[in-house]
Amino acid sequence: MVFPKSRVTSSVLVNAERGFERAMASGRLMRFVVCLMVYCHLFWATRAQAQAAAPGARADDASRSRLHGLAALSVGRGLRFNNPYRLASPLGDDAESLSLSATYLDLMLGALFAAGSSFQHGAAVSGIVALDGIGQFGVTPSYLVQSRLSPRLGLRGRLGMPVVVAPDTTWGLEAAVGPNLGIAFGLGVMAELVGSVFFGAATEETSVTAIPMLSVQLGLFFDHEVVL
């Protein structure tokens, strides 16, 4: 079937406009989150310096419990090892072939408790938004563990259960591990290798669809220590 030229042109313009609006909204969200992280970083760094210089600073801080508040902003993309719904960016010719996921933005908030001189554990929750393709939003609660390899370098791992909220509700299991490097005043850079499997709706071939994925994330984090 051949559509009239005016209708095709109108459809192309509408899709282009929607894509442009989504890109602008994603850019504004990223700038807002980065500015918020920088503001928090400067605020808590100034406060920590003032407390350390105060005449009444406690001398027994080393023996007190510590809580680390975390905020992280990452950008990632992954490989799907099964593509039963014929999603975008396939790298092969059939449903079992590899395909690329959408680029996504991951905003994480969490807390870590000290469990020894170099080991910490806690919990986090992440909000994930697709930056291209079909609009997607998900939430991932996770259990965190972290080992300090040096004063600046750490190795962090997490186990979580991602829940896709839109466009369709589904869930999965996730494990991630990666290094993080502190730069100054709690601000640093991080990377994660994420392995996950999502369970989707039935197809003609199977009653429950399992979609394994492997993703890489790169981003910034802010770590603020609170002495309890």
Side-chain angles (χ1 to χ4, degrees):
M1 178 178 181
V2 179
F3 292 100
K5 184 177 180 181
S6 59
R7 183 178 301 178
V8 174
T9 303
S10 176
S11 177
V12 170
L13 291 175
V14 169
N15 290 335
E17 183 179 357
R18 289 177 179 173
F20 178 75
E21 291 176 350
R22 182 182 299 173
M24 292 295 293
S26 300
R28 287 194 296 268
L29 175 62
M30 186 176 295
R31 288 195 296 270
F32 170 76
V33 174
V34 170
C35 291
L36 181 62
M37 290 179 66
V38 171
Y39 172 79
C40 293
H41 157 66
L42 294 175
F43 173 78
W44 288 111
T46 303
R47 182 175 176 180
Q49 288 178 336
Q51 290 176 345
R58 299 286 300 271
D60 60 339
D61 278 354
S63 62
R64 299 170 65 185
S65 299
R66 283 171 164 75
L67 169 69
H68 286 257
L70 294 176
L73 178 66
S74 303
V75 175
R77 196 168 193 186
L79 282 173
R80 283 184 294 261
F81 293 92
N82 185 16
N83 192 13
Y85 305 114
R86 310 307 195 268
L87 299 174
S89 304
L91 302 179
D93 299 325
D94 54 31
E96 286 73 30
S97 62
L98 295 175
S99 63
L100 289 173
S101 74
T103 303
Y104 61 88
L105 186 70
D106 185 321
L107 175 62
M108 183 193 76
L109 298 174
L112 288 168
F113 296 89
S117 59
S118 61
F119 181 76
Q120 300 164 325
H121 70 112
V125 61
S126 301
I128 301 173
V129 180
L131 299 181
D132 53 39
I134 299 173
Q136 292 179 315
F137 174 72
V139 178
T140 305
S142 299
Y143 171 70
L144 295 179
V145 293
Q146 177 168 272
S147 176
R148 302 305 310 176
L149 306 178
S150 73
R152 290 184 179 271
L153 181 63
L155 184 64
R156 185 180 303 152
R158 59 185 177 87
L159 295 173
M161 190 181 75
V163 178
V164 179
V165 179
D168 298 309
T169 303
T170 185
W171 66 282
L173 300 172
E174 182 175 277
V177 64
N180 54 85
L181 178 65
I183 298 175
F185 302 110
L187 193 65
V189 294
M190 58 175 286
E192 273 192 333
L193 181 64
V194 185
S196 55
V197 57
F198 289 88
F199 304 103
T203 64
E204 293 182 358
E205 292 83 9
T206 180
S207 58
V208 178
T209 304
I211 306 175
M213 296 183 62
L214 186 65
S215 307
V216 174
Q217 299 181 184
L218 301 174
L220 302 173
F221 74 90
F222 176 64
D223 182 340
H224 176 66
E225 182 181 76
V226 178
V227 180
L228 303 178

